[in-house]
């Protein structure tokens, strides 16, 4: 019997993998993978609000007619876009569009935006509610870090209203920011579209709302015209639901 060389064995292993993928594709096209749960690989920018992620993914995560296995990866946007370009991710959720070199092989899809709600733990919320928004001046604040689109929008809004909050904490993780706010250390902000859920989950009270400061949401894909049915479901539902929530 003949023995394959090391190079031959390497080629053979790759060939086996290629043929296996080919058989799987044939079965998928022939509808013979009944019962297999499809996967959707979602990248989420680490600055993207967790409750908004849940809001946007709900149309696929909760559908009953065809269950989906979500594989969510959180990280910095450059890393996520790199994975997207290599087709390791199907979609990336971000609070700002990919720009400059990051646009290579990726396309932005604007989903919608939301006003913001200022909130805090019970007593602090009640104290700051009167005289809003001037009441925020020199008040302790827990805000997004200055490398985020929302923080830049907030700074412009504060400047417009001559408000200078006393910043005691800055966070890239919006969920951690809200958890810190539950200890009544300072006021914080959430997108208005999910402020009811934030109030319930984190026991925060509303200080006030504004539509002049907007938090924007984007889907980034590796194709201009989306062909993935699950990604289309997310983007189309998001646009519809965000418009409806913004008009409430």
């Amino acid at each position: 019997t003949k023995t394959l060389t090391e190079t031959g064995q390497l080629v053979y292993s790759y060939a086996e993998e290629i043929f296996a993928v080919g058989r799987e594709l044939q079965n998928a096209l022939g509808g013979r993978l009944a019962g297999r749960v499809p996967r959707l690989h979602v990248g989420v920018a680490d600055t993207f609000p967790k409750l908004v992620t849940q809001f946007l993914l709900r149309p696929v995560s909760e559908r009953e007619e065809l269950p989906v296995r979500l594989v969510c990866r959180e990280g910095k946007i450059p890393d996520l876009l790199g994975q997207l370009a290599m087709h390791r991710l199907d979609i990336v959720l971000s609070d700002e569009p990919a720009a400059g070199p990051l646009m290579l092989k990726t396309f932005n899809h604007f989903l919608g935006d939301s006003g913001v709600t200022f909130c805090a733990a019970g007593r602090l919320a009640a104290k700051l509610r009167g005289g809003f928004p001037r009441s925020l001046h020199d008040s302790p604040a827990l805000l997004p870090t200055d490398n985020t689109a929302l923080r830049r929008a907030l700074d412009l809004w504060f400047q417009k209203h001559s408000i200078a909050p006393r910043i005691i904490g800055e966070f890239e993780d919006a969920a951690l920011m809200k958890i810190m706010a539950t200890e009544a250390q300072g006021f914080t902000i959430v997108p208005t579209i999910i402020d009811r859920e934030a109030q319930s989950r984190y026991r925060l009270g509303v200080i006030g709302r504004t539509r002049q400061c907007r938090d924007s949401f984007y889907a980034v894909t590796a194709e201009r015209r989306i062909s993935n049915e699950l990604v289309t479901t997310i983007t189309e539902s998001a646009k519809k639901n965000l418009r409806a929530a913004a008009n409430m």
Side-chain angles (χ1 to χ4, degrees), residues 23 50 53 68 73 99 120 142 172 189 224-226:
R23 287 192 296 270
K50 305 299 183 293
T53 301
V68 176
R73 303 187 188 282
L142 303 164
E172 284 190 344
I189 54 98
R224 189 185 303 275
R225 296 178 62 85
I226 301 172

Side-chain angles (χ1 to χ4, degrees), residues 10 23 43 53 75 98 122 134-135 147 157 184 186 195 210 212 218 241 246:
L10 180 62
R23 287 192 296 270
T53 301
R134 284 297 305 164
S135 58
N147 64 322
W157 186 82
D195 67 2
T210 179
Q212 296 176 5
Y218 294 84
N241 294 334

Side-chain angles (χ1 to χ4, degrees), residues 143-209:
L143 301 178
T145 52
D146 58 10
N147 64 322
T148 61
L150 179 55
R151 174 60 183 277
R152 292 191 289 271
L154 274 171
D155 286 344
L156 290 174
W157 186 82
F158 285 141
Q159 184 178 6
K160 178 180 179 180
H161 292 275
S162 301
I163 295 170
R166 181 162 38 90
I167 301 172
I168 61 172
E170 298 178 90
F171 305 83
E172 284 190 344
D173 188 326
L176 178 59
M177 185 173 68
K178 288 187 277 291
I179 290 172
M180 294 294 289
T182 65
E183 299 179 358
Q185 294 185 12
F187 73 83
T188 191
I189 54 98
V190 299
T192 300
I193 58 168
I194 47 92
D195 67 2
R196 290 183 182 178
E197 193 164 357
Q199 290 175 62
S200 174
R201 182 168 300 189
Y202 299 102
R203 298 183 179 179
L204 298 174
V206 171
I207 299 169
R209 299 180 177 89

Side-chain angles (χ1 to χ4, degrees), residues 23-38 65-67:
R23 287 192 296 270
E24 185 174 332
L25 176 60
Q26 278 188 320
N27 288 338
L29 294 176
R32 290 192 289 271
L33 284 180
R36 180 169 179 174
V37 178
E65 70 278 8
L66 182 60

Side-chain angles (χ1 to χ4, degrees), residues 10-137:
L10 180 62
V11 172
Y12 181 74
S13 66
Y14 273 98
E16 272 196 323
E17 185 175 344
I18 291 170
F19 285 124
V21 172
R23 287 192 296 270
E24 185 174 332
L25 176 60
Q26 278 188 320
N27 288 338
L29 294 176
R32 290 192 289 271
L33 284 180
R36 180 169 179 174
V37 178
R39 293 188 181 190
L40 181 67
H41 296 263
V42 181
V44 184
D46 52 11
T47 56
F48 201 80
K50 305 299 183 293
L51 290 179
V52 176
T53 301
Q54 181 184 22
F55 177 83
L56 298 182
L57 295 182
R58 193 169 288 150
V60 294
S61 66
E62 295 183 353
R63 70 179 193 171
E64 297 179 357
E65 70 278 8
L66 182 60
V68 176
R69 179 181 297 178
L70 287 172
V71 181
C72 294
R73 303 187 188 282
E74 185 179 66
K76 302 293 183 185
I77 192 68
D79 179 55
L80 294 176
L81 294 180
Q83 295 184 53
L84 180 68
M86 292 186 288
H87 302 284
R88 293 176 181 173
L89 295 173
D90 299 305
I91 182 175
V92 170
L93 299 177
S94 175
D95 54 356
E96 55 186 326
L102 301 181
M103 280 296 296
L104 181 65
K105 297 183 179 179
T106 60
F107 299 92
N108 295 312
H109 307 272
F110 177 67
L111 301 178
D113 57 16
S114 169
V116 297
T117 297
F118 294 85
C119 50
R123 290 184 178 179
L124 182 58
K127 176 184 176 182
L128 297 178
R129 194 171 296 131
F132 174 83
R134 284 297 305 164
S135 58
L136 302 179
H137 182 73

